[in-house]
Amino acid sequence: MTLDPIISIAGALALAVILASAALHKLQAPAWFERQLDAYQLLPTSLTTVTARALPVLEGALALGLLFQPSRVTSAILAAGLLALYALAMTTNLLRGRHDLDCGCAGPNSQQPLHPLLLIRNGLLIALAILAGLPAAERTLGLFDGFVVLAAGAATLLIYAATDALLANRPRLLALTGR
């Protein structure tokens, strides 16, 4: 199956921005991220610090790799795997009944408790990574194609940001409605 290159490039662009943003959150507040990682209780304490330092570097490298054709497929596959790993960490803690645990998804300034809807969001991000890594038809892209790539990438990011804001504010919305 080959896609129009606009689709795979727009998906790669949107995913690159999401991964770069995640990496920046972690790099700007390394102590916060290390505490978040430790709170998941999935790693031995001896591995928490090194993992907390390595994950933002990996996310940044994948974001960069998604932007360039020679590394796009490999970066997309690795991004899908990393997102699946994050979903597995959330699933494990949800199964443990730890719904009050902050997922750490929105950075140090926003609390977002674990919820099954986050797994759906991660599933959609995994699908986006797969889409970005699928083979694209070879054709010359024109100026209008570039505009469409940017518009489609921006629209994807806006949908992601709106969904993330709704998920982050879900507890407040439920409290306001008395649920």
Side-chain angles (χ1 to χ4, degrees):
M1 174 175 157
T2 58
L3 300 174
D4 187 286
I6 290 174
I7 296 170
S8 60
I9 295 169
L13 177 63
L15 190 58
V17 171
I18 291 166
L19 287 170
S21 174
L24 283 175
H25 286 301
K26 293 170 180 78
L27 291 170
Q28 289 174 338
W32 163 83
F33 180 59
E34 190 172 335
R35 285 190 305 274
Q36 284 301 121
L37 195 57
D38 191 51
Y40 270 79
Q41 299 175 352
L42 295 171
L43 295 171
T45 306
S46 61
L47 293 178
T48 302
T49 300
V50 70
T51 304
R53 300 295 184 261
L55 280 175
V57 173
L58 176 60
E59 289 172 337
L62 293 175
L64 260 173
L66 284 164
L67 297 177
F68 301 100
Q69 180 56 41
S71 57
R72 185 170 298 135
V73 172
T74 302
S75 296
I77 292 167
L78 292 172
L82 183 62
L83 291 162
L85 190 61
Y86 290 164
L88 180 61
M90 287 187 264
T91 300
T92 301
N93 277 281
L94 284 169
L95 291 173
R96 291 176 177 168
R98 302 185 71 216
H99 299 269
D100 293 340
L101 179 64
D102 177 23
C103 77
C105 305
N109 299 322
S110 180
Q111 296 288 316
Q112 190 169 356
L114 289 184
H115 192 275
L117 290 173
L118 290 170
L119 301 176
I120 295 170
R121 182 205 60 189
N122 266 49
L124 292 172
L125 288 174
I126 291 166
L128 184 63
I130 292 168
L131 187 70
L134 287 175
E138 292 199 25
R139 72 174 181 88
T140 304
L141 297 177
L143 183 61
F144 184 73
D145 292 323
F147 171 76
V148 173
V149 165
L150 291 176
T156 302
L157 288 169
L158 287 172
I159 291 168
Y160 173 80
T163 302
D164 207 44
L166 284 171
L167 290 172
N169 288 303
R170 185 178 178 281
R172 288 181 215 104
L173 293 172
L174 292 175
L176 287 173
T177 60
R179 292 185 189 165

